[in-house]
Amino acid sequence: IIFEDNHLLVINKKAGQLVQGDKTGDASLLDLIKDFIKKRDQKPGNVFLGLVHRIDRPTSGLVIYAKTSKALTRLTQMVKNREIKKIYWAVVANNPIAPKMRLVHYLQKNEKTNKATVFIKPTDNAKEAILNYEMICKLDNFQLLEIDLETGRHHQIRAQLSKMGAPIKGD
């Protein structure tokens, strides 16, 4: 727990943790936190905990949960209006890429394989995906990029960076 008050809870999610339940049936961070709050606060009934935003399972980072329905409504609206700024960092292969760039692609999600296919031009059933990145550190074998998403597509960052020849380390 990074921050908690009466309205919200900010968690530092580890890479590999599931933010909310899915078809795998694996324990989710949402369920683990609900159980923790129920025990810690000795709550007799169900614990309300609303997910404000998600990050992919392989990704580490901060996740915001709302402790009341009113807070969930307000925080979700703030995310939608981009009043809450989300910053992503990615360590990528040290291939020659521009130090700063805006990427526009079209992503098609494959539900069966849980993967995204990247296209350069509009394609059937593909959604526009836009991100901006800036290189903030360059090492011998890797680069650290700071990424700002304009859209939030399935596996967008990893798919777009890989398409341009800069796969995320470990992907």
Side-chain angles (χ1 to χ4, degrees):
I1 298 174
I2 298 300
F3 177 83
E4 181 178 11
D5 66 14
N6 292 334
H7 309 284
L8 62 101
L9 185 66
V10 180
I11 300 293
N12 186 13
K13 182 186 106 51
K14 297 176 186 175
Q17 283 185 310
L18 188 61
V19 174
Q20 69 182 39
D22 70 359
K23 60 186 176 193
T24 65
D26 294 344
S28 73
L29 195 53
L30 179 67
D31 293 331
L32 293 171
I33 296 166
K34 280 182 176 183
D35 290 345
F36 168 75
I37 291 171
K38 185 175 180 81
K39 289 175 188 164
R40 181 194 68 187
D41 299 347
Q42 299 176 349
K43 292 200 174 257
N46 291 331
V47 172
F48 178 87
L49 196 64
L51 181 60
V52 176
H53 67 98
R54 296 181 306 273
I55 56 178
D56 290 344
R57 188 176 196 160
T59 306
S60 63
L62 301 182
V63 180
I64 303 170
Y65 292 95
K67 293 173 68 177
T68 66
S69 58
K70 190 175 195 177
L72 179 61
T73 301
R74 289 180 177 172
L75 289 165
T76 303
Q77 191 61 46
M78 290 174 75
V79 168
K80 184 178 179 183
N81 294 340
R82 296 179 65 91
E83 294 172 59
I84 294 175
K85 177 101 171 124
K86 294 190 275 182
I87 298 171
Y88 299 86
W89 287 352
V91 176
V92 299
N94 193 8
N95 294 329
I97 61 172
K100 188 175 186 177
M101 193 173 217
R102 182 174 193 255
L103 302 179
V104 179
H105 292 104
Y106 299 86
L107 270 57
Q108 192 177 69
K109 182 179 178 181
N110 184 325
E111 294 285 346
K112 291 179 184 174
T113 62
N114 196 33
K115 293 190 179 193
T117 304
V118 182
F119 298 93
I120 295 171
K121 296 180 180 178
T123 304
D124 288 345
N125 300 318
K127 295 181 179 179
E128 186 176 51
I130 303 170
L131 68 77
N132 299 283
Y133 78 81
E134 184 172 356
M135 186 186 318
I136 56 176
C137 181
K138 184 173 179 142
L139 303 170
D140 289 340
N141 298 314
F142 299 101
Q143 298 174 64
L144 177 62
L145 304 181
E146 184 169 294
I147 299 149
D148 179 31
L149 290 177
E150 288 187 32
T151 57
R153 306 292 180 218
H154 180 74
H155 296 310
Q156 179 178 343
I157 295 172
R158 70 178 27 92
Q160 286 190 273
L161 292 178
S162 183
K163 181 70 171 178
M164 63 174 282
I168 294 175
K169 184 179 183 318
D171 245 13

